[in-house]
């Protein structure tokens, strides 16, 4: 008797005690999109809707042990990384993922939280570029992260986003999704750059203060699509639509007093 396919995704990221971003957002997005979620915690944060009050990185060897535990037993269909905090943790994750190059890997280069709090040590950027980006099926930087990775000014339009996406592609990733949420205009447009060309994904811009965890949610939603064997383009489209609706319905949630989370389960808890 043939076993029914169970899509599974693994997130390697930091824990958000406020529940809106990080591991918590990733697992919510996986579940909302019909994917079983596994997790490896790279850092603990003391965090709420106002910002990050503290960060406690997990010892790199234990991060590796978590990854080994999951991948030695569970048939993971996609991997997503988020906050990795230090150069040592990034190096440990890269070492652990190299033998698993067949698994689609979405790298969200988390550097700064929505609140402005720094989540990646300055000396870790070079390690991220040299060791982790070349392993990625897709990297998903926002405009500020892309500029920091390239040591350039922040792109302000689609042309600039495409040019920086092409430069990031040259660092070794198979594809780059430049997230345009920080640009102006009536539409929020993301630019997907691959060796085959460029594709733009747009959605109407929404005015809401509930933007905590949007980057984590988009990247994990893409990983969920890849775990279900969607093409990269279809996974990005599904994720973009999902995040738009999660933002659209976020006003139904009343979480905290600062920047609230998106509504990951809007389909199930209207």
């Amino acid at each position: 008797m043939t076993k029914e396919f169970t899509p599974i995704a693994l997130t390697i990221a930091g824990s958000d005690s406020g529940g809106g971003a990080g591991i918590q957002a990733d697992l919510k997005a996986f579940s909302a999109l019909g994917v079983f979620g596994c997790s490896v915690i790279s850092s603990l944060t003391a965090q709420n809707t106002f910002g990050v009050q503290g960060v406690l990185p997990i010892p790199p060897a234990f991060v590796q042990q978590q990854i080994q535990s999951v991948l030695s037993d569970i048939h993971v269909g996609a991997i997503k990384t988020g906050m990795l905090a230090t150069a040592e943790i990034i190096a440990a994750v890269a070492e652990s993922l190299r033998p698993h190059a067949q698994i689609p890997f979405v790298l969200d280069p988390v550097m700064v939280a929505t609140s402005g709090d720094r989540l990646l040590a300055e000396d870790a950027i070079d390690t991220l570029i040299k060791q982790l980006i070349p392993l990625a099926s897709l990297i998903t930087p926002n405009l500020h992260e892309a500029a920091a990775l390239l040591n350039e000014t922040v792109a302000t339009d689609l042309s600039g986003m495409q040019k920086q996406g092409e430069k990031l592609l040259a660092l070794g990733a198979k594809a780059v999704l430049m997230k345009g949420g920080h640009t102006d205009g009536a539409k929020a447009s993301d630019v997907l750059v691959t060796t085959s060309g460029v594709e733009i994904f747009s959605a109407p811009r929404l005015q809401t203060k509930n933007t905590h965890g949007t980057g984590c949610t988009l990247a994990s939603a893409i990983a969920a699509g890849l775990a279900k064997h969607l093409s990269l383009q279809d996974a990005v489209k599904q994720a973009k639509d999902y995040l738009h609706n999660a933002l659209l319905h976020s006003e139904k949630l009343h979480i905290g007093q600062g920047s609230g989370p998106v509504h990951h389960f809007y389909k199930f808890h209207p």
Side-chain angles (χ1 to χ4, degrees):
M1 183 177 178
T2 303
K3 289 184 178 180
E4 187 176 345
F5 169 65
T6 301
I8 303 168
L10 167 65
T11 170
I12 306 169
S15 170
D16 173 4
S17 55
I23 286 282
Q24 288 79 0
D26 296 343
L27 293 176
K28 289 171 186 176
F30 291 165
S31 296
L33 293 167
V35 172
F36 182 84
C38 301
S39 62
V40 168
I41 297 179
S42 63
S43 298
L44 304 176
T45 70
Q47 187 173 171
N48 55 27
T49 61
F50 286 123
V52 180
Q53 291 79 46
V55 175
L56 181 65
I58 302 298
F62 191 66
V63 173
Q64 286 189 308
Q65 189 174 8
Q66 293 176 77
I67 296 171
Q68 172 64 17
S69 291
V70 174
L71 295 182
S72 66
D73 172 49
I74 299 170
H75 186 69
V76 169
I79 297 170
K80 178 257 178 182
T81 58
M83 174 191 176
L84 298 178
T86 70
E88 293 76 16
I89 292 174
I90 292 170
V93 170
E95 182 180 351
S96 297
L97 295 188
R98 283 191 191 101
H100 302 281
Q102 78 281 5
I103 303 175
F105 165 34
V106 178
L107 192 170
D108 186 18
V110 176
M111 296 182 181
V112 180
T114 301
S115 58
D117 297 291
R118 189 161 192 90
L119 298 176
L120 181 69
E122 284 279 1
D123 64 357
I125 296 177
D126 190 57
T127 307
L128 182 75
I129 291 171
K130 290 180 178 177
Q131 296 200 37
L132 208 53
I133 285 180
L135 303 178
S137 306
L138 174 73
I139 61 173
T140 62
N142 63 35
L143 300 186
H144 295 280
E145 291 162 348
L149 288 170
L150 295 169
N151 196 26
E152 294 184 357
T153 58
V154 176
T156 57
D157 55 25
L158 291 176
S159 176
M161 290 167 66
Q162 178 180 335
K163 289 176 183 177
Q164 289 194 343
E166 290 169 347
K167 291 179 182 179
L168 290 172
L169 194 68
L171 296 178
K174 295 180 180 67
V176 179
L177 183 69
M178 295 284 292
K179 298 180 296 190
H182 291 103
T183 56
D184 297 323
K187 290 185 177 181
S189 296
D190 301 338
V191 179
L192 178 64
V193 181
T194 69
T195 54
S196 301
V198 175
E199 192 167 348
I200 297 173
F201 297 83
S202 297
R205 188 176 301 278
L206 300 171
Q207 299 302 319
T208 176
K209 71 171 187 174
N210 295 331
T211 57
H212 184 51
T214 49
C216 304
T217 298
L218 182 67
S220 53
I222 294 170
L226 296 175
K228 292 191 289 187
H229 298 162
L230 296 183
S231 69
L232 177 59
Q233 286 76 9
D234 286 344
V236 170
K237 184 180 185 306
Q238 171 189 263
K240 182 79 170 175
D241 292 344
Y242 169 69
L243 178 59
H244 176 77
N245 280 294
L247 281 164
L248 184 65
H249 291 85
S250 67
E251 298 299 325
K252 297 176 182 177
L253 297 178
H254 304 284
I255 310 294
Q257 302 164 69
S259 176
V262 304
H263 195 341
H264 292 94
F265 295 117
Y266 66 89
K267 290 182 181 178
F268 310 101
H269 306 290

